[in-house]
Amino acid sequence: MRHSKGFTLIELMIVVVVIAVLAAIGLPSYSDYITRSKLAEAYAHLSDLRVKMEQSYLDNRRYSTNAAGGTCGIPGGNTPTVQDSKYFDYTCASATPNAAGDQEYVLTATGKVAEGLSGIAFSINTSNTKATTVTAATPMADKGYAGNAGCWVRKKPSQC
């Protein structure tokens, strides 16, 4: 009696099909997980910049560097200095001046094109109102993300 060793073609085909099914299910989930981990940078840095703006206000009674207004009172001014920023560009706009200087601000984190985050922006203002903006027909919109005027989106489509 002859006993052969190895796998039959059917057994190999079954293994290939099982691996293909696992990859088809796992790869999109993994890709979305990576995107969500990149968004965490914006949440952390915007929260930190907001604290710095409030500290500046406590010291100067205004959000601007001078009484004339126009420039945010944090390091970097209207383009804040953010350490280890890889996925987002940050901006600050101060507004609503009175005799003392600007009394409001909006901090914004805009996704970088090179990192696959173009089309998404997070913002926070003087009143601690958080918002997410997703531009239509951009990579982030194509991934299924949508804007939300009341929070920072953490999961698609627009879950906070």
Side-chain angles (χ1 to χ4, degrees), residues 124-145:
I124 188 167
N125 66 14
T126 313
S127 304
N128 199 28
T129 302
K130 300 171 183 174
T132 304
T133 305
V134 178
T135 306
T138 60
M140 289 305 290
D142 294 343
K143 290 179 183 178
Y145 286 87

Side-chain angles (χ1 to χ4, degrees), residues 35-50 88 90 109 120-124 130-132 140 145 151-156 159-160:
T35 300
R36 289 189 347 232
S37 70
K38 291 177 180 180
L39 301 181
E41 175 193 297
Y43 314 144
H45 288 306
L46 284 175
S47 296
D48 181 55
L49 290 171
R50 182 179 186 284
F88 289 87
Y90 299 89
I120 194 163
F122 299 100
S123 63
I124 188 167
K130 300 171 183 174
T132 304
M140 289 305 290
Y145 286 87
C151 68
W152 290 333
V153 171
R154 296 183 185 272
K155 291 178 78 173
K156 62 183 176 182
Q159 296 176 2
C160 301

Side-chain angles (χ1 to χ4, degrees), residues 47-132:
S47 296
D48 181 55
L49 290 171
R50 182 179 186 284
V51 168
K52 290 178 180 177
M53 287 296 289
E54 296 303 326
Q55 289 172 338
S56 174
Y57 188 86
L58 288 174
D59 293 341
N60 304 305
R61 306 309 291 164
R62 61 180 177 245
Y63 291 113
S64 54
T65 55
N66 55 44
T71 304
C72 290
I74 53 178
N78 293 347
T79 54
T81 304
V82 178
Q83 296 294 331
D84 302 322
S85 171
K86 182 175 180 182
Y87 304 113
F88 289 87
D89 292 319
Y90 299 89
T91 58
C92 178
S94 60
T96 316
N98 65 15
D102 289 340
Q103 299 300 306
E104 293 183 5
Y105 67 87
V106 176
L107 293 164
T108 306
T110 306
K112 292 184 179 180
V113 175
E115 298 297 334
L117 296 172
S118 66
I120 194 163
F122 299 100
S123 63
I124 188 167
N125 66 14
T126 313
S127 304
N128 199 28
T129 302
K130 300 171 183 174
T132 304

